Amino acid sequence: MRSRLLVVASVVLLAVSLGGAAFGSGVNTRVTRDGTPSSYLRYDGASDATTAACSTGRRSQNEPTVAVNPHNTQVVVAGSNDYCAAIVNGDVWTGYYRSPDGGASWADSLVPGYPADSSPAGVASPVHGSCGAAGDPSQAFDRDGRLFYAFICFNRSQPVNGSVYVARYTDDGASYDRTVLVKQGTPSGLFESGLFQDKINLMVDQTAGAFSGNVYVAWSQYNGFAPANAVLFSRSTDQGLTFSTPIRVTPVALGTASFADLAVGPDGAVYLTFITYASASNPSTDVWLSKSTDGGVSFGSPAHVAAIIPFDSTQFSGNGFSDCGDGPSACPTGLTFSRFTTAPAVAADATGVHVVWNAELRSGQSKVFVRNSPDGTTWPTVARTLDTVRVGHQWTPDISSANGVVNVVFYDSRSDRAYSPSLPPGNTASGRNSGNVVDTFVAKSADGGTSWSETMISTAGSNFGWETHGSRRVGFWGDYIYVSAVGETVMAAWTDSRDLVPGVDPRETGTADDHDGFDVYQPCTYVPNDINAASYTSPSVADACLSQGGLDQNIYAAGV
């Protein structure tokens, strides 16, 4: 969520640039240019089968991260779960995108080590040959222009495992250097046993203090051998060459914890926020904040920030599913939506510590809340919403602060004429597509988080119900979006469906067609079968019919 090793030659950056002299508020730039030949290149400027397929694959990208470089604020980088890699490699991989001109143009690539990567850096990476999929990116720079890119690498088939890695880029993010292991997962049998590392967040100390340059990583460990999952933390004091043995930050007594987010204050204090869930011993879902004053060596007891009503997609399915679509993925409510949930984010500046999250009002509407603290341990003011808009859901906030201005980016469906607190975003009461009614907003505060002004930054709407995600025919938009701020430069990145091509699912004919308006264009030939059967067929991930725009989610960015 917050502010998350390849040699990309300067000639490569020029070759794939989009052009455009100015980039600022109100201008949306497409980051993932997967409809342009040769737009994706390998770390060394060469092309291989994977990057060639990515360049024209028009596949899905989601869970974006963005980072502004304090060494040169014209350099901005982004990342995502990039499904273009699946065309050759069979599964998702972490995309790496770099802009040398403040976000006006982007060079697209992948973090080295994907299964079909035969380059020297790819083969040398510890992920190569050990895992088939990578995602959950998180990036941040240090003061000298070194970029640190955290991600998880995992296998979906047995044995399921998930490990945490950090890649390092030098030369203001232009040169890939290495990837190192932070925490190894173990075979976990679909979370029923073993250890699975997930939901990673990375932050770098960009101050000039005693801990300047420290790299901090936090993540969720799903433990099949323990009653509660934990948030773990590790740090590097040698510019990402090695990482410390992870420590558990979340007390066992709090139960299952997840969705960690990190910030570093002006004095070098480290803040880690997370969420815990209701259980038999803990009746509420809660947001917490832990603080370290010794450079991440240890953390004090977590401070309670808020008890909340989570905004979770499972409430709209009727059967506990977190996402609903067509065929075997249809839900009793008849609604269509991708997975979403509640997660917190934190920023720290001279005015104090600011934690944001989305949660439901008693009416059922999801709003973005903020609570401010002078020191991260005491909370003299109550949590409040960013606004009092009475229609539309707000969710997936991220926060960053610089130059006395706090910035919060979030999704918002206030333009949805079919909005109801009892419906997921983008659905009518009859379960049909209500249009591209999800927009991305930024809220700004110049008084330490007390008052806020809002601006819509997306210039085209999206819908989170488009059935883009694999043979299950559901959507997937990820767990987070990002905002990064350094000085006067503030950049936001989000997942967007403006380029997606709607269509008719050829599997849905006659009475089997539910006419829900969430189908996407795929001119494939299917083996006829019962649309509700477990054998509900879909083309392989390499099928060219999937490159016709029906899966074309992209990452967009804007200066805010």
Side-chain angles (χ1 to χ4, degrees):
M1 295 197 242
R2 272 35 48 210
S3 123
R4 275 212 223 288
L5 294 169
L6 291 136
V7 178
V8 182
S10 59
V11 65
V12 174
L13 297 175
L14 292 172
V16 299
S17 66
L18 286 172
F23 185 75
S25 183
V27 177
N28 290 186
T29 295
R30 178 169 164 172
V31 175
T32 48
R33 300 174 54 243
D34 57 357
T36 305
S38 301
S39 57
Y40 280 70
L41 294 173
R42 215 168 58 183
Y43 71 94
D44 54 3
S47 180
D48 60 18
T50 300
T51 59
C54 279
S55 296
T56 58
R58 302 177 69 185
R59 302 301 176 94
S60 300
Q61 292 92 20
N62 46 53
E63 291 194 334
T65 176
V66 69
V68 177
N69 180 10
H71 188 248
N72 176 2
T73 56
Q74 279 295 101
V75 175
V76 182
V77 297
S80 79
N81 302 330
D82 202 322
Y83 287 81
C84 75
I87 301 170
V88 172
N89 298 267
D91 213 327
V92 64
W93 201 258
T94 42
Y96 176 63
Y97 324 111
R98 182 177 183 270
S99 172
D101 51 15
S105 63
W106 294 85
D108 295 340
S109 189
L110 300 173
V111 175
Y114 44 90
D117 187 356
S118 60
S119 69
V123 172
S125 171
V127 302
H128 187 69
S130 67
C131 45
D136 284 19
S138 182
Q139 298 167 302
F141 283 96
D142 67 12
R143 290 165 55 90
D144 297 319
R146 282 180 287 259
L147 173 73
F148 303 92
Y149 187 125
F151 63 99
I152 64 168
C153 200
F154 59 98
N155 293 312
R156 295 187 194 275
S157 58
Q158 300 289 355
V160 176
N161 57 22
S163 301
V164 170
Y165 295 87
V166 173
R168 188 175 82 165
Y169 294 75
T170 58
D171 302 327
D172 293 321
S175 302
Y176 172 80
D177 180 47
R178 69 188 68 202
T179 297
V180 299
L181 174 68
V182 178
K183 180 67 165 64
Q184 183 74 50
T186 63
S188 59
L190 295 176
F191 304 105
E192 295 174 0
S193 62
L195 304 175
F196 193 98
Q197 320 301 327
D198 199 7
K199 305 187 187 310
I200 188 169
N201 186 251
L202 179 146
M203 181 56 65
V204 179
D205 186 328
Q206 296 177 352
T207 73
F211 307 119
S212 179
N214 278 8
V215 184
Y216 303 119
V217 184
W219 67 94
S220 300
Q221 177 171 271
Y222 296 100
N223 188 347
F225 302 119
N229 300 318
V231 169
L232 302 186
F233 175 88
S234 178
R235 67 181 189 137
S236 173
T237 58
D238 56 8
Q239 292 80 51
L241 299 180
T242 61
F243 282 83
S244 65
T245 300
I247 61 173
R248 178 174 181 147
V249 178
T250 53
V252 175
L254 295 183
T256 289
S258 191
F259 288 107
D261 192 66
L262 290 162
V264 176
D267 61 354
V270 183
Y271 301 95
L272 191 162
T273 186
F274 58 92
I275 192 169
T276 59
Y277 301 97
S279 65
S281 58
N282 178 29
S284 64
T285 297
D286 299 277
V287 176
W288 302 84
L289 185 79
S290 294
K291 180 179 180 179
S292 171
T293 59
D294 55 12
V297 174
S298 61
F299 283 82
S301 298
H304 185 256
V305 180
I308 66 172
I309 304 173
F311 180 60
D312 195 283
S313 56
T314 56
Q315 67 184 291
F316 298 109
S317 63
N319 58 3
F321 284 10
S322 60
D323 47 20
C324 296
D326 284 344
S329 298
C331 293
T333 58
L335 301 171
T336 301
F337 52 86
S338 62
R339 186 188 78 202
F340 54 83
T341 190
T342 290
V346 60
D349 58 22
T351 66
V353 182
H354 319 284
V355 178
V356 294
W357 64 91
N358 71 288
E360 289 188 9
L361 303 175
R362 293 191 180 277
S363 67
Q365 181 187 18
S366 179
K367 300 291 287 183
V368 174
F369 289 78
V370 61
R371 194 170 188 189
N372 307 301
S373 167
D375 54 12
T377 56
T378 59
W379 301 85
T381 60
V382 299
R384 64 185 68 189
T385 60
L386 297 183
D387 60 52
T388 57
V389 177
R390 300 182 66 179
V391 296
H393 292 298
Q394 299 173 350
W395 72 107
T396 313
D398 189 34
I399 187 170
S400 188
S401 181
N403 270 23
V405 179
V406 187
N407 305 272
V408 177
V409 65
F410 56 95
Y411 289 130
D412 194 304
S413 66
R414 66 182 68 179
S415 69
D416 190 354
R417 294 185 177 182
Y419 163 76
S420 168
S422 62
L423 294 174
N427 279 249
T428 68
S430 61
R432 289 174 169 77
N433 187 325
S434 62
N436 292 321
V437 295
V438 175
D439 295 294
T440 304
F441 277 71
V442 65
K444 290 178 174 284
S445 173
D447 57 9
T450 301
S451 61
W452 298 84
S453 61
E454 295 181 334
T455 304
M456 186 173 73
I457 58 173
S458 56
T459 57
S462 292
N463 193 301
F464 280 36
W466 293 113
E467 295 162 2
T468 58
H469 197 53
S471 60
R472 294 182 57 233
R473 303 273 39 92
V474 296
F476 179 68
W477 291 78
D479 295 323
Y480 53 84
I481 57 179
Y482 250 81
V483 62
S484 177
V486 175
E488 298 291 336
T489 304
V490 184
M491 294 290 299
W494 65 93
T495 307
D496 199 295
S497 69
R498 73 182 70 185
D499 304 303
L500 182 144
V501 181
V504 176
D505 190 327
R507 290 164 292 192
E508 298 184 19
T509 59
T511 59
D513 191 346
D514 58 5
H515 301 288
D516 60 11
F518 290 105
D519 295 336
V520 296
Y521 180 66
Q522 293 180 174
C524 303
T525 301
Y526 296 89
V527 177
N529 57 29
D530 182 354
I531 193 171
N532 295 309
S535 58
Y536 190 63
T537 55
S538 184
S540 70
V541 293
D543 198 307
C545 72
L546 298 179
S547 299
Q548 304 304 306
L551 309 183
D552 200 12
Q553 297 171 350
N554 285 293
I555 306 305
Y556 274 79
V560 297

